[in-house]
Structure formats: C-alpha cells, structure tokens
Amino acid sequence: MHGRPRKPATPVDENASALKAAKIRSLQSQFLLNHHNNIYTKEALEINAKLIESNPEFMTAWNYRKLAFEHNLSNQSEADSDHIKSVMDEELQVVENALRKNFKSYGAWHHRKWVISKGSSSTERELRLLNLFQKQDTRNFHAWNYRRFIAGLKNISDEKELQFTTDMINDNFSNYSAWHNRSVLLSHLLEKKVVGYFPKEIFLKEEYEFVRNAVFTDPDDQSGWFYHLWLLDQTVKVDMPNLVSSWPPHGSEITKTTFPIVLFFNEPVEGVNLQTVSVQVEDAIFKNITWSLLSANKFKCGQAWLTHLTIPLGETNSSKIFQVKISSEYSQGIISSNDVPCSQHWSIEFRVSVCHDFQLEGQSLRRMLMTDENFCTVGINSNVMDLFKSYFELASDYEQPTSSKWKSEMIASELDQYRELLSWAECKIGKLTLARLLMANDAIGTTVAPNTSHVEEVLKLYSELMELDPAHYQYYKDEYSLAFLKQVTSSKESLMKYCGQYKESTSSNITGPMCLRLNSLSLSQIGSFERLLWVQSLDLSHNQLHSIEGLEALQLLSCLNLSHNKVGSFMALDPLRFLKSLRVLNISYNEIGAHTVDTRRYLCSSPLSHTFDYDKKFEEFATGDEKVLNCWEAYSVFGGLDIMQLDVVGNAAADERFMLFLVKLLPGLKWLDGEELH
Amino acid sequence: MSQEFNTNLGTLFAVNLDGPSRLHRRSATQPDQSAPFSDRIDRFDLGLGMGELAAEKHAKYILTVEKKKDDIESVLMEHLRINGAYWGLTTLDILGKLAAVDQETVISWVMSCQHESGGFGGNEGHDPHLLYTLSAIQILALFNKIDTLDIEKVSNYISTLQNEDGSFSGDKWGEIDTRFSYVAICSLALLKQLDKINVENAVKYIVSCKNLDGGFGCTPGAESHAGQIFCCIGALAITGCLHYVDKDLLGWWLCERQVKSGGLNGRPEKLPDVCYSWWVLSSLIIIDRVHWIDKEKLVKFILDCQDKENGGISDRPDDAVDVFHTYFGVAGLSLLEYPGLKAIDPAYALPVDVINRIFLH
C-alpha cells in the first residue's frame, strides 16, 4: 500500500477492519442489486453515495450515478431549472466528498467533468475548488488537468492561466507541474501568434531570466532544468525539414554505372517519391525510380531515403561522362512527422564516368583481415581522398542557414550565466546544461563548415560528469561518444587521421577500399552518419557499442568489423538488413545470446511491432530445432544478404548447431570464423 | 495509475503449493532452453545467486492472499479483482509457479466477468471497461487460452470505443486517456485484430500528447508521468511508430527518475516507488536507453522493499506489501535480468515466451 507502514495488525485493528469491511460489503451488494434492477430512488442513491464515499475508485458506482442522473432528469415533464440545479448540485457534492477522501480518484474527476458538461456551474465555484486542491497538493496532475479543462470550457485566456503558473512558481519554484503548464501555454500563444509572444525571441529572453532565478536558488532541484532545456530547444530548433547530405554528393564524380542514391534529411520525413524528387540523367528524366525508406517503421517516415540508379550505357561509348541531377521537384510534398513541409528547393549534381573501378568481388577468395599491420596511412594527396574532399567542400551548400543573430546572442548570454553558476556550485545538471549550450553554440555558428570549436570543452565536461554522477555514467559516455564523432567527422583533416588503406602485409598487391578505422576508441554510441555516406569499409572493433542504429544509411558499406563490442542480440544488427553491398562482416566477441532482455526488439522490424510479417518461408526453411532460439532473428537480418566472410565466434548464441544454420542460410559464404568453407 | 492498488484474489488460486515448480517442469519438457538459463535457476534455488529474492515467499504470499478476503483492503479492491488476478498470475508465471494455480477455475471466473457488450468488468456483475478487458485477455494469453474468447465480439467492443480524433474512451461514459489507447492497442494486437481500428489516427492522438520533456500525458497538454509514458511508448512500440519518440530527450528524463536510494520516481521531485521499476524501466528498455540508469542500485532498492518474512513487496522499504507492488517488483527484477526469473516483454507486459508463442509461430 502506498505510504502505509508495514506492521502486524493488532486484534483490535483486525476487529475494526473486519467491521468496516462488512459494512462496505453490505453497501456493495445493495448497490449492485439496485444497479442491476435499474432502481434510482432517493434511498438507492444514498446507498450509492455512501459506497462512493468509502471507495471513490469503484467505477461501476460512478456509472450508476450517471444513469440515475439521466433517468431522473428525463422523467421531468417540463424543464424545471430549479430541479436540474439541485440534481447537479448534489452530484457535485458527491464528487467533492469523494475527492476529500481521495483526490487522485480518476472516477470522481471524470464524473465532475461529465456533470459540468451537462449544464452550467459557475466558473468561480470550479476555480475555488481548484484553488483549494491545488494549494493542498500543488503537483496533483488530476487537478491540473481539470484546470485546463475548465479553462477551455469557460474560455479563460492563456495569458491569465500563464499568470497563474507564474504565481504558483513564485510561491514555490519546485513545481514541475507549473513549469510544464507554462510550456504548454506558451506554445499555444506562440502558435496563435498572440502579440507579445510572437515571434518566439520576444518571450524567450524573459523566460530564460525567469527560470534562472529558480535554478540559481537551488541548482539541485530538477523542476526548472527541464524547462530550461525546452527553452534551449526552442532557441536552436530549425522549424522545418531539410536535406542535409546525400550520396553521391553534389559536385562529385563517381565511376560506377549502377549505384545507390541516398538522401539524408535533418529529421524524419515522408513523401519522397517520383512527384517530389526528380532524377535526371543528361536530358532524360527517369520515371522508373522507386524511393524506399531506410528504416523499420510502418508509416513511411524516416531520415534516410534510398533508390538505385543504373546508367543506360547504350552502345560501346565506355569513356563517356554522364551528368546526373537529383532535385526537389515539389519540395512542399516532403513533410516532417509533425506535418511541416520542406520549403527549401535543393538540387544535387554529379558526374558518372564509365571506367574500371575497384571490385571487392574480384578477390573474393582471399580472407580479409582487418588488423593494424594490414592498413597503411592515407596520404593527403591520395586520389582516394578526392571524393570526400569534394564532399566536404560542397556538402554545406544545401545546408540551410540556421543562424540568426538573436540566437547566437541568447546562447552567448546563457553561456556566461551558467559558467558563473558553475564557478560557485558543483551541480551536475548545471554542467550538463553548459555542455549542451556549447554544442548548441557550435550548431548555430555562422561558418559554412561544421563548427566544432567547443568540442574539447564539451568532452571535458562529460568526463567530469562521469565521475560526478556515476549512476548515469553511460548517459554521459554516450553523449561523449557522439560529440567525439562530431569532431572526427567535421573536416577532412580530422577524418584522415582515422583512415587507413587496406594493404595486406604479406602481399604488396592486395588492396581493398579505404577503411574508416574507429576502433579501440571506447565508443558507446555512433552517430554523424550524414557525414559518413561515402564509407565502404568501417572498423568499429574494440568499442562498447550495443547498437548500430543509423548505420543503414551507409549504403556503400561492404566491409564491417564490429568485433569486441557489446551487441546483445541479432535484432540489434537489424540495420544490416538494408546493407545489400555487405560482403565481409565480423561480429565476433559480442554478447549475442547472452541476455534475456532484448532492448532493440521494438526498434527494428519485427512481427511484435507489426512492421515485419513472420516469414512463412522460414517455417519451410528451418528445421524443428532452428525454429527456436535465435534462428528466426538471424534469418530476418541475414536472410537477404550476400555475405562472403563472417566471424561470429565468441558469442553465446554461436554454438555448433547455429553455425550449421548460418552455412545453410548464406550460400555465398566462403569464410566462417577464419575457416574456408568448401 | 498512481492510486492505491491492492486486490483480493479470492479463492481463485486454488493452491498446489508443494507441487513441482513450473521452471523445473519446463526444463524437462523443453530441452531447448539454453543451458546458461538453467544454470542460473539452480544457482538461484540454492540461494547462491545474487540470491536475495524471497521467491518462494512471494509465490506463497500471492497464493494465500485469499485468506485475507475479509480485511478492509481486499473489500475496497473488489472492483478491480481482474486486474489483481492478472498481476498475481503474471508474477507467479515469472517466478515459475503458474502450475500451482487451477487454470479451469481462473478461466471460468474470468469469462463470468464478461458483459453482453463483449467487454469485461472488474468483477462479476460490474460494468465493462477497457482496463478490465485487457487484463482478461492477458490472463487468457498466459494460459494459451485466447481461443476461449469470441474474438469478434471482444474486438468489436474495443473498436467502437475509438473516437474520431483517434483517442479511446475507457467505456461508454466517455473518459478519454492515453491509458485507454494503450489498453485498446495492446488488446487488439494480442487478438490479432489491429485492423479493426484506425491505427494511424490512434498514433496521431498519442503523439499529440507529447510534452516538452519528451514524455507523454493522459490528454493533450497534460503533464508527463512515468505510468502514462509507458502506455504511450508501449502503444507506439506495438504499432511500429517509435520514430515519433525523441529517444534521447525522453531517455534522459526517464533515467533522471532514479534517485539516490537507487529507486525510481514517476515525476521530477517525487518519492521513489517500486511500481516505477515497471513503468520507467519498461519504457527505457523499449527505447533502448536502460543502460543510462544504475541497474545494480535499482535491484537493491527492490530487494529492500521485500517483506522477507511473510512475502510480498511494498512501494518503499518497510511499507505494507500488496499484490500490485509485488508484481511490479518481480517484473522489474525480470527486466533487470535478475537470475532465475522468466523474461517479461516490456511492451505487452506478458512473459516473453507467451508473446513469442503469439507472434512468432
């Protein structure tokens, strides 16, 4: 029982309890008898009222009162307003008695709403009741809900309600419910473009000051901090969806005649199709293009969209260069998940030259070993760097200018304030807020290239937080990893430090694609995928990753090393399903099969989330044994892939039976755990 | 959701306390259960594991609640007896003790709570409501007896409660709440009848209840609350719509529910309570952010809330126990991978093997 001490009952207690129980039980039976026989007399209603007073949560008892109310009013031949008023008053009284017993009773609050909706009660009476309850329990969410209901019903202005939250906060700033309602009211006022609240920079400045008073008074109270984070989000948020990067990038030249096209947006969008995006090769517009979503959800909404293009070569003019143009035909048709259209026109142009290019398939018989000795550094003048050189120089052309002077000024002033706070208070949320402000400051910078001037300071703050607040260590670690990757991917120079050319140490002429080597960095999360669309080979080994969400955007990926991480299930590898070019995969030494709880189960395509049908083909494919355990999950992830080299050793799930299943599932497999298959 | 819950399970659970435990039986009939799992059970039975969960006592507590049917708490909770039966039975299943219950008695009693409209009441003769209908379906699912139902009738009852804006009323009297959205969606999914409702509108309504902190309230504009967040996240998970959730923002809010004692609260600046071990944890698991809290400290907090003498778990250490908190404590430990417990699904709130049986075969 909530808040009731555990103690053995004395005989006296037990007696009293039994007596009371018997009394209520008798009320219950009398009430149910009346209810089942549709008896709505005064006596019957009194029995019901007594029952409700002793147990306000008895839902059927409230239903009965509504039936009685309707019954008694429909029996009135003429509209007798006095009678209606007295019946209503009685109902309101019953509710008030019930709320006195338990003011968290869902049934009581709803009954009041139901009665009020039937006729009039004075606004004053309702507000008086509310003030009474909201003084007694300032966080009672039923009362706050009822307040919003009454404000809507009686057309009380948002400004007036906003004043109420100001008063409540001035009384006691540790009132999260009031801060919450403030965000709701300000959002309404902003949406309705009410003078004094639109555009948002008008009220933001005052709100920053208001909440500062609260968090500076007691930095350890959480109430105001969440509100501050909302203000920060309101400050930096770009209010519309927008293309942020693509593969191939604008201005690039590629040498394959069949290749994927990836469009990457700043937020999940829907509506990428033939009508909204045009694909033009030389002068011909391609009409047989199908865009698909690179994610597992039902309602066609996602950040990354994919199609494949094949340049028709015609005769033998193999040295020809083709101009390709992808542009937004009707950008308004591309909309975010909250229905905001993409209003900016964009266009990506690149060239396709037909010549021989690197083919991994050509050396499929050899095993690729992604170890240090098999990589050599990439020279800054290397040809292979040209591709992402053009990419970095031009990627920002179609990034929307998000910077506004007022935003930078607001963030700068907040930075000063919170640096000052931290000079005298050791406060974890204060530190976290400073880190967030610094990241926001970089995000709205005016330079064309990504700004990472504060990342070092941010990384330091997250390191300190890991020590200061060990219970949330992994949260800070994840944020650290993301900030770190932002820094790594911010420029060609920083990325080059992490690139290696595959070159077998034992044989000088065996080379592979350039590899992005983010191994052994103790990363717990990965991100910045919009800047990694060019990656063909990726080494993420010896980190602490348990998820690879977002990796599906890397459509060129053919080699992936994930060994020695914390991947806990096959479902966590779901993004691989979309990587049709993948040939070499190392998932050895992870935790697949070692957990009873799968935290990726609802974030991937699955019959449980109605995003993937249980495959009847699996029933035919798998033997009895294979139908259980992880086989179905492995089937759903790997079933459509053409993997040649796979390492799975060092996972709880990788027993002998399972290995046999993999061999059956992947007919193209040449190497399994280092052994050549025949 | 945060009001006091307790229940009288009456004489429902005719008992077979000394019978073989379900876990041992299962390992005999299902040899495919992985070896590490059975190891863990043995360790747990010998009391050598993390070993502080008084599992036997808790099972006994649930099975003997009937003896207290005359006390005031039991009488006050008769109106939600079917919820209580679901909490109790699911706890027993997680503890491996469901075989101790007489299935026939339970099922015929559950069916006696069905109203002619197709919905279920909280007890015999009580009015039907979505909240009780889900519990009835979940109980039948535990026993693999969903086919006992007239599925068409039950799903029609549920689908007629959807409003034009996508929201759900709890019953014909029109109270609207995202709790009912979850209950309707979860029920229909278990019955494989989701196409009976407008899922897209249902999702839109839930998304309209999203707040500044990434959480969700019971209606648009209502404050975030961990119980409500579970309902909304659960419904979005079941319908494959988690892309509407800001996982990092919500995940941070949820992980900040952990207070110094290790326990979780349901809203900022509130006291911790064992029931949030379910509401917060399941939400964190569904959005893959459960590693952001200190699991060991939470395990300790839940174990500290046990009544080790008489069985049962309470909201906070040394408070009076009840079935509601016993369920949320044991289910929470299962979500924390406590050894010897069956895994529970965070979205459907039923054991994983029950859910796999429904959706993967």
Side-chain angles (χ1 to χ4, degrees):
Chain A
M1 305 300 290
H2 283 251
R4 223 190 41 158
R6 185 186 303 163
K7 57 165 198 248
T10 64
V12 178
D13 292 343
E14 271 174 12
N15 261 340
S17 163
L19 269 177
K20 219 169 160 189
K23 204 176 132 204
I24 297 173
R25 193 178 288 282
S26 136
L27 282 173
Q28 278 183 9
S29 353
Q30 291 179 66
F31 153 67
L32 283 172
L33 197 67
N34 290 333
H35 182 34
H36 296 151
N37 294 302
N38 308 321
I39 297 168
Y40 305 115
T41 58
K42 198 161 176 278
E43 295 71 34
L45 273 164
E46 272 168 17
I47 288 170
N48 170 284
K50 276 188 198 155
L51 177 60
I52 280 182
E53 209 175 322
S54 55
N55 185 7
E57 278 300 283
F58 202 128
M59 195 122 48
T60 306
W62 290 110
N63 296 347
Y64 169 85
R65 289 207 79 83
K66 297 185 185 72
L67 286 169
F69 182 90
E70 286 177 345
H71 175 86
N72 289 337
L73 287 189
S74 70
N75 278 2
Q76 289 299 112
S77 44
E78 68 265 24
D80 177 348
S81 65
D82 279 353
H83 178 68
I84 296 175
K85 194 176 175 304
S86 83
V87 172
M88 283 190 56
D89 280 349
E90 194 185 324
E91 291 308 308
L92 296 180
Q93 195 52 54
V94 170
V95 169
E96 279 164 43
N97 294 344
L99 288 177
R100 250 171 223 123
K101 166 97 178 171
N102 173 14
F103 56 48
K104 292 177 178 176
S105 163
Y106 283 93
W109 285 107
H110 178 247
H111 192 67
R112 194 169 191 94
K113 277 190 190 176
W114 187 86
V115 172
I116 298 275
S117 310
K118 295 281 165 193
S120 59
S121 162
S122 78
T123 310
E124 285 67 40
R125 175 174 176 168
E126 295 312 302
L127 288 180
R128 216 167 32 237
L129 179 84
L130 274 168
N131 286 341
L132 185 75
F133 281 121
Q134 291 192 289
K135 278 225 168 69
Q136 274 178 33
D137 180 1
T138 56
R139 298 288 307 280
N140 185 322
F141 71 84
H142 298 271
W144 280 99
N145 287 350
Y146 190 69
R147 185 172 194 100
R148 279 182 287 268
F149 167 77
I150 290 296
L153 195 73
K154 306 285 184 188
N155 286 320
I156 301 173
S157 74
D158 287 339
E159 285 102 321
K160 214 166 166 188
E161 284 301 285
L162 193 67
Q163 185 56 46
F164 177 76
T165 66
T166 309
D167 296 344
M168 290 292 273
I169 292 167
N170 283 337
D171 259 5
N172 179 2
F173 64 82
S174 179
N175 186 339
Y176 189 76
S177 308
W179 289 111
H180 158 79
N181 208 32
R182 208 171 169 81
S183 78
V184 172
L185 293 164
L186 283 170
S187 301
H188 286 173
L189 289 163
L190 180 62
E191 206 175 307
K192 290 186 286 187
K193 305 193 175 175
V194 173
V195 180
Y197 300 92
F198 180 85
K200 59 188 173 189
E201 52 264 41
I202 296 177
F203 75 82
L204 279 174
K205 194 164 182 287
E206 276 178 32
E207 292 303 301
Y208 272 124
E209 272 169 36
F210 188 52
V211 75
R212 192 183 308 140
N213 286 331
V215 297
F216 273 52
T217 309
D218 180 1
D220 290 327
D221 188 283
Q222 295 190 343
S223 310
W225 285 114
F226 288 99
Y227 188 74
H228 185 271
L229 181 59
W230 177 70
L231 294 179
L232 179 58
D233 183 57
Q234 291 295 309
T235 311
V236 294
K237 184 165 84 178
V238 184
D239 293 317
M240 68 184 87
N242 197 29
L243 187 74
V244 290
S245 75
S246 69
W247 179 266
H250 182 65
S252 62
E253 180 166 335
I254 61 167
T255 55
K256 271 193 170 182
T257 53
T258 294
F259 54 91
I261 299 175
V262 177
L263 299 178
F264 201 101
F265 293 84
N266 62 339
E267 61 176 311
V269 294
E270 57 186 310
V272 174
N273 54 41
L274 264 182
Q275 283 73 49
T276 53
V277 178
S278 85
V279 176
Q280 195 176 340
V281 180
E282 297 291 307
D283 294 330
I285 293 192
F286 271 46
K287 284 289 179 199
N288 56 343
I289 294 276
T290 314
W291 289 98
S292 62
L293 187 63
L294 277 172
S295 94
N297 76 68
K298 213 160 65 175
F299 293 128
K300 297 281 159 229
C301 203
Q303 259 187 300
W305 287 79
L306 168 75
T307 193
H308 285 89
L309 189 64
T310 299
I311 305 286
L313 285 177
E315 296 87 52
T316 51
N317 51 348
S318 59
S319 59
K320 192 174 171 197
I321 290 177
F322 295 84
Q323 284 286 342
V324 182
K325 183 178 174 190
I326 321 280
S327 56
S328 58
E329 190 66 25
Y330 170 59
S331 58
Q332 295 277 322
I334 300 174
I335 54 171
S336 72
S337 58
N338 49 351
D339 292 336
V340 181
C342 181
S343 58
Q344 191 132 332
H345 177 77
W346 45 264
S347 163
I348 307 151
E349 290 174 49
F350 55 90
R351 291 181 303 165
V352 179
S353 64
V354 183
C355 67
H356 184 71
D357 57 300
F358 167 76
Q359 294 283 329
L360 185 66
E361 282 80 358
Q363 41 172 300
S364 59
L365 293 178
R366 290 189 66 89
R367 180 162 189 251
M368 262 186 97
L369 261 182
M370 287 172 132
T371 50
D372 285 347
E373 62 272 19
N374 283 343
F375 286 101
C376 55
T377 48
V378 180
I380 191 141
N381 295 320
S382 154
N383 284 341
V384 84
M385 296 306 290
D386 289 349
L387 198 52
F388 69 77
K389 176 164 173 273
S390 66
Y391 186 40
F392 277 103
E393 278 161 11
L394 291 157
S396 42
D397 279 5
Y398 43 91
E399 265 173 35
Q400 199 200 349
T402 56
S403 51
S404 301
K405 204 165 158 246
W406 68 266
K407 292 187 178 186
S408 327
E409 284 172 3
M410 238 172 234
I411 303 277
S413 135
E414 286 301 289
L415 274 172
D416 290 344
Q417 297 290 343
Y418 287 94
R419 280 189 207 281
E420 198 240 300
L421 171 74
L422 290 174
S423 69
W424 53 264
E426 172 98 325
C427 160
K428 68 162 194 178
I429 301 192
K431 264 193 205 297
L432 183 56
T433 300
L434 182 58
R436 286 167 171 166
L437 281 165
L438 290 166
M439 289 304 273
N441 186 66
D442 283 2
I444 59 168
T446 47
T447 50
V448 201
N451 179 0
T452 52
S453 50
H454 290 101
V455 173
E456 286 300 335
E457 191 179 351
V458 170
L459 295 177
K460 188 169 160 279
L461 284 166
Y462 282 124
S463 302
E464 288 168 12
L465 281 163
M466 287 181 230
E467 274 188 35
L468 186 64
D469 179 20
H472 298 108
Y473 180 90
Q474 278 298 331
Y475 172 73
Y476 306 122
K477 178 101 183 161
D478 284 2
E479 291 294 312
Y480 181 101
S481 301
L482 291 177
F484 175 78
L485 284 175
K486 199 156 259 176
Q487 188 182 39
V488 168
T489 59
S490 64
S491 72
K492 186 180 74 166
E493 287 70 27
S494 59
L495 253 174
M496 284 222 335
K497 291 181 208 148
Y498 297 93
C499 285
Q501 179 67 51
Y502 185 77
K503 197 167 188 175
E504 270 184 25
S505 53
T506 50
S507 161
S508 58
N509 54 4
I510 302 297
T511 58
M514 186 175 60
C515 182
L516 178 62
R517 304 200 68 208
L518 299 171
N519 55 317
S520 307
L521 293 168
S522 120
L523 297 176
S524 60
Q525 200 168 354
I526 41 171
S528 298
F529 296 105
E530 71 278 12
R531 313 198 67 81
L532 298 174
L533 301 181
W534 52 273
V535 175
Q536 285 176 283
S537 177
L538 180 61
D539 185 356
L540 289 168
S541 62
H542 297 274
N543 283 304
Q544 295 161 22
L545 302 172
H546 76 276
S547 157
I548 53 167
E549 187 175 357
L551 203 69
E552 61 275 8
L554 275 45
Q555 282 295 308
L556 305 187
L557 206 61
S558 61
C559 308
L560 175 63
N561 188 353
L562 276 170
S563 69
H564 296 275
N565 275 287
K566 290 173 180 264
V567 175
S569 69
F570 284 106
M571 283 309 174
L573 296 171
D574 191 62
L576 300 185
R577 233 163 29 87
F578 299 92
L579 299 177
K580 302 297 183 196
S581 305
L582 197 65
R583 299 289 175 271
V584 177
L585 176 65
N586 187 344
I587 48 171
S588 61
Y589 301 100
N590 274 281
E591 298 171 7
I592 301 172
H595 293 279
T596 51
V597 173
D598 182 355
T599 57
R600 301 296 308 172
R601 215 177 182 193
Y602 285 97
L603 294 170
C604 62
S605 313
S606 146
L608 275 66
S609 57
H610 300 86
T611 43
F612 193 82
D613 289 330
Y614 180 67
D615 199 334
K616 292 284 176 233
K617 277 190 225 150
F618 175 69
E619 290 286 332
E620 291 159 26
F621 180 81
T623 63
D625 267 7
E626 293 162 355
K627 284 180 187 151
V628 290
L629 294 177
N630 291 308
C631 291
W632 185 80
E633 298 181 351
Y635 176 88
S636 77
V637 174
F638 297 136
L641 298 180
D642 183 15
I643 294 176
M644 295 190 304
Q645 180 183 320
L646 180 65
D647 290 87
V648 292
V649 68
N651 286 289
D655 57 13
E656 208 170 310
R657 202 179 41 181
F658 183 71
M659 304 303 263
L660 289 175
F661 176 79
L662 282 178
V663 172
K664 185 164 97 173
L665 182 63
L666 299 164
L669 202 61
K670 300 269 188 297
W671 294 91
L672 181 59
D673 284 332
E675 288 193 33
E676 195 165 3
L677 302 172
H678 298 288
Chain B
M1 197 133 299
S2 63
Q3 81 266 52
E4 297 187 334
F5 283 110
N6 188 8
T7 183
N8 163 29
L9 297 175
T11 49
L12 267 187
F13 304 164
V15 202
N16 184 2
L17 270 181
D18 301 317
S21 106
R22 179 104 175 90
L23 277 179
H24 288 299
R25 258 202 207 169
R26 204 191 42 199
S27 58
T29 53
Q30 294 187 330
D32 46 67
Q33 285 293 327
S34 66
F37 193 47
S38 2
D39 282 355
R40 284 184 187 178
I41 293 160
D42 294 343
R43 222 160 25 113
F44 158 66
D45 280 352
L46 295 167
L48 301 171
M50 292 164 83
E52 282 186 71
L53 180 69
E56 296 287 338
K57 290 250 167 82
H58 298 323
K60 205 168 259 181
Y61 163 74
I62 287 167
L63 290 165
T64 52
V65 168
E66 61 176 302
K67 284 186 185 155
K68 297 199 284 176
K69 70 182 166 197
D70 286 332
D71 73 4
I72 184 84
E73 283 81 22
S74 308
V75 174
L76 284 179
M77 296 303 147
E78 274 189 9
H79 64 282
L80 44 75
R81 192 180 184 210
I82 203 163
N83 295 147
Y86 156 73
W87 296 324
L89 292 165
T90 308
T91 309
L92 288 176
D93 199 9
I94 298 171
L95 292 170
K97 302 279 188 203
L98 193 58
V101 172
D102 180 28
Q103 189 176 316
E104 295 309 317
T105 317
V106 175
I107 291 174
S108 71
W109 175 76
V110 166
M111 294 310 291
S112 77
C113 296
Q114 192 174 22
H115 192 256
E116 60 200 18
S117 62
F120 284 76
N123 207 331
E124 273 181 278
H126 291 220
D127 291 354
H129 193 283
L130 280 181
L131 288 171
Y132 310 130
T133 305
L134 174 62
S135 283
I137 295 170
Q138 285 170 319
I139 293 169
L140 294 171
L142 280 176
F143 293 116
N144 199 12
K145 289 286 182 200
I146 284 187
D147 54 9
T148 314
L149 287 173
D150 180 343
I151 288 176
E152 190 69 17
K153 200 173 170 188
V154 182
S155 50
N156 282 341
Y157 170 78
I158 298 168
S159 60
T160 52
L161 289 170
Q162 186 173 31
N163 303 304
E164 230 163 85
D165 62 359
S167 67
F168 281 84
S169 303
D171 61 15
K172 66 173 182 173
W173 297 108
E175 183 182 5
I176 291 173
D177 191 309
T178 46
R179 285 181 301 153
F180 310 145
S181 298
Y182 167 75
V183 165
I185 285 169
C186 185
S187 299
L188 290 173
L190 290 170
L191 300 174
K192 305 206 172 176
Q193 300 289 319
L194 265 183
D195 53 359
K196 281 245 160 66
I197 55 165
N198 185 332
V199 173
E200 196 163 349
N201 277 358
V203 166
K204 277 202 176 124
Y205 181 78
I206 292 170
V207 173
S208 76
C209 297
K210 189 155 83 169
N211 289 320
L212 86 157
D213 45 32
F216 295 82
C218 36
T219 49
E223 183 183 347
S224 300
H225 176 289
Q228 221 73 40
I229 290 171
F230 160 76
C231 290
C232 294
I233 294 294
L236 293 176
I238 292 170
T239 52
C241 287
L242 288 171
H243 59 282
Y244 286 113
V245 180
D246 186 334
K247 301 196 286 282
D248 291 327
L249 180 63
L250 174 60
W252 180 61
W253 189 89
L254 286 169
C255 82
E256 281 294 335
R257 296 308 97 242
Q258 187 162 38
V259 300
K260 283 207 174 74
S261 66
L264 301 166
N265 62 19
R267 293 190 282 159
E269 302 301 325
K270 289 278 196 176
L271 291 173
D273 183 322
V274 159
C275 67
Y276 296 112
S277 310
W278 173 266
W279 309 120
V280 175
L281 258 187
S282 56
S283 305
L284 279 170
I285 288 173
I286 291 172
I287 63 170
D288 192 22
R289 296 293 183 274
V290 70
H291 56 293
W292 286 355
I293 60 163
D294 187 331
K295 293 192 202 173
E296 274 175 40
K297 274 178 98 173
L298 179 56
V299 168
K300 190 176 172 306
F301 177 79
I302 298 174
L303 293 176
D304 284 348
C305 293
Q306 299 178 98
D307 182 338
K308 285 190 155 179
E309 237 168 88
N310 304 307
I313 298 175
S314 53
D315 60 346
R316 282 183 280 282
D318 301 321
D319 278 356
V321 303
D322 58 63
V323 174
F324 176 76
H325 287 96
T326 306
Y327 162 68
F328 286 115
V330 172
L333 289 173
S334 164
L335 291 177
L336 292 162
E337 304 189 83
Y338 191 89
L341 298 178
K342 249 184 158 180
I344 188 164
D345 183 274
Y348 291 96
L350 282 169
V352 168
D353 61 348
V354 171
I355 290 308
N356 287 353
R357 189 167 67 205
I358 294 173
F359 293 103
L360 297 185
H361 292 291

